[in-house]
């Protein structure tokens, strides 16, 4: 099995971003990362995003708020960032604490700054196959991993395990736009293993440590692992047991070092696009 490394895909996206920036005239685009509370996963994602974007020559500013901030105070702060001229794009780390109405924020965010595709406008565009908005970065990262490795989606049988609004659903639409034939699976899917085995491209986005074993994979399949989990030994792992599928799959993405690495590169690309569109 060939391992599809995220770093190689990220390097190609970096070249595209640098080219876009070399033709740039205005101020360098700036990302605002908004974090409420001290969730270690959010902090780690934020650190990774800052490092990646700065290495691409982009600007980042973090905005941090206490976990017990009121709905009203957070919305006031959010509105101010949303309206700041110097802020080109926004990444809001979610989920937000329950006292804040997340739906209101999704509706408030300026679609032109909504780099992770959370606003109803951008979601509608993804579902309409309209590429003038922003798709969720992780979903787009999966498509980038395939495209940058010259894997065509046209006519392919794709199976996606997971139907969240962050990954499974938008990804199914992005792949449909690329002319794949897409099946979406979830916890109520009957014969999950059999369905997965029929996939030429299998995407695991269930959030279940190493659930995809050899018996879920058809011979010669390409397996993309979106999962980021911590196993019983506290070790970071994906939804796919890569060792178990080694002899059966043609290609697979590792965790860490796979889709996650590409997600922040897509975020950088979205930021530059937001700047261009402005
Ligand atoms: P989520 O909201 O919890 O959704 C998980 C989906 O998987 C649900 O649709 C669920 O089905 C389905 N599922 C769970 N267990 C299943 C099982 N045993 N069999 C079949 N379907 C099952 O998770 P998410 O936000 O989409 O994230 C999924 C994974 O991707 C997580 O590990 C997350 O950490 C990771 N992630 C990675 C990135 C990245 O940059 N690489 C970004 C975001 C998320 P039901 O709908 O029936 O419950």
């Amino acid at each position: 099995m060939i391992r599809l490394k995220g770093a190689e895909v990220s390097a190609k996206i970096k070249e595209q971003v640098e080219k876009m920036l070399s033709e740039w005239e205005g101020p360098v685009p700036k990302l605002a990362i908004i974090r409420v509370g001290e969730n270690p996963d959010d902090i780690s994602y934020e650190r990774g995003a800052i490092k990646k974007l700065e290495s691409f020559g982009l600007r980042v500013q973090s905005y941090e708020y206490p976990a017990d901030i009121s709905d009203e105070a957070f919305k006031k702060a959010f509105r101010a960032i949303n309206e700041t001229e110097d802020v080109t794009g926004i990444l809001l780390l979610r989920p937000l604490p329950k006292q804040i109405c997340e739906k209101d924020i999704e509706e408030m965010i300026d679609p032109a700054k909504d780099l992770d595709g959370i606003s109803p406008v951008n979601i509608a565009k993804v579902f309409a196959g309209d590429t003038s908005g922003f798709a969720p970065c992780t979903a787009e990262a999966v498509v980038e991993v395939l495209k940058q490795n010259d894997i065509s989606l046209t006519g392919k049988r794709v199976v996606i395990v997971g139907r969240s609004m962050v990954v499974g659903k938008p990804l199914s639409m992005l792949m449909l736009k690329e002319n794949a034939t897409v099946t979406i699976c979830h916890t109520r899917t009957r014969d999950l293993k059999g369905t997965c085995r029929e996939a030429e491209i299998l995407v695991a986005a269930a959030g279940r440590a190493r659930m995809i074993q050899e018996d879920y994979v058809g011979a010669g399949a390409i397996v993309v692992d979106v999962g980021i989990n911590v196993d019983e030994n506290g070790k970071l792992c994906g939804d796919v047991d890569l060792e178990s599928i080694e002899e059966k799959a043609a290609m697979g993405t590792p965790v860490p070092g796979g889709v996650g690495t590409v997600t922040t590169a897509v975020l950088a690309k979205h930021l530059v696009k937001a700047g261009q569109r402005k």
Side-chain angles (χ1 to χ4, degrees):
M1 184 186 72
I2 297 168
R3 279 177 167 65
L4 303 173
K5 303 251 174 64
E8 288 165 17
V9 177
S10 175
K12 289 186 185 167
I13 297 174
K14 186 178 183 193
E15 278 172 26
Q16 295 171 359
V17 168
E18 283 173 344
K19 184 166 183 299
M20 285 153 96
L21 282 177
S22 70
E23 293 156 3
W24 199 260
E25 287 183 352
V28 174
K30 180 163 138 184
L31 171 71
I33 301 183
I34 304 177
R35 171 166 54 80
V36 183
E38 305 282 328
N39 179 333
D41 291 345
D42 286 349
I43 293 172
S44 143
Y45 185 66
E46 181 180 339
R47 276 204 202 111
I50 293 171
K51 204 170 148 201
K52 177 70 66 84
L53 267 74
E54 287 183 346
S55 78
F56 279 30
L58 296 160
R59 292 187 296 153
V60 186
Q61 183 169 348
S62 291
Y63 295 83
E64 299 162 28
Y65 300 96
D68 61 355
I69 189 170
S70 71
D71 182 57
E72 194 188 347
F74 181 70
K75 280 178 183 158
K76 190 167 173 239
F78 186 85
R79 190 171 292 114
I81 300 166
N82 205 25
E83 289 170 2
T84 299
E85 181 66 22
D86 190 42
V87 168
T88 320
I90 295 173
L91 175 69
L92 173 67
L93 300 176
R94 300 190 298 166
L96 295 170
K98 55 182 181 311
Q99 77 274 13
I100 301 171
C101 178
E102 210 165 286
K103 192 165 177 294
D104 288 348
I105 304 294
E106 289 167 2
E107 283 169 12
M108 271 169 72
I109 191 167
D110 178 352
K113 295 186 180 183
D114 170 29
L115 306 187
D116 206 17
I118 65 171
S119 72
V121 170
N122 281 323
I123 292 167
K125 284 185 174 178
V126 170
F127 278 72
D130 174 347
T131 55
S132 70
F134 293 111
C137 296
T138 305
E140 194 171 314
V142 174
V143 177
E144 286 282 358
V145 166
L146 298 169
K147 274 192 179 171
Q148 301 291 349
N149 282 289
D150 296 322
I151 299 162
S152 166
L153 278 155
T154 300
K156 294 276 166 61
R157 285 193 307 277
V158 172
V159 174
I160 301 170
V161 185
R163 57 174 164 179
S164 75
M165 280 305 286
V166 185
V167 192
K169 281 185 193 161
L171 177 58
S172 67
M173 291 297 127
L174 296 180
M175 290 190 150
L176 195 58
K177 170 116 181 107
E178 298 292 330
N179 300 310
T181 303
V182 185
T183 302
I184 310 174
C185 298
H186 44 79
T187 52
R188 309 289 175 91
T189 298
R190 270 189 277 133
D191 189 20
L192 181 66
K193 286 183 190 177
T195 308
C196 289
R197 271 198 305 269
E198 282 171 19
E200 291 172 273
I201 298 174
L202 175 63
V203 182
R208 298 279 178 267
R210 300 191 187 96
M211 76 170 269
I212 303 293
Q213 298 279 332
E214 180 269 340
D215 52 350
Y216 284 74
V217 175
I222 296 167
V223 183
V224 182
D225 192 353
V226 179
I228 300 176
N229 315 293
V230 177
D231 71 8
E232 59 284 1
N233 303 316
K235 210 176 143 212
L236 195 69
C237 72
D239 286 0
V240 180
D241 184 346
L242 218 54
E243 279 171 23
S244 113
I245 68 164
E246 187 80 48
E247 301 298 323
K248 208 160 182 196
M251 298 179 195
T253 62
V255 176
V259 174
T261 314
V262 182
T263 300
T264 44
V266 170
L267 179 68
K269 190 158 138 184
H270 283 187
L271 181 63
V272 183
K273 276 192 182 165
Q276 280 180 333
R277 288 174 188 165
K278 202 168 148 192

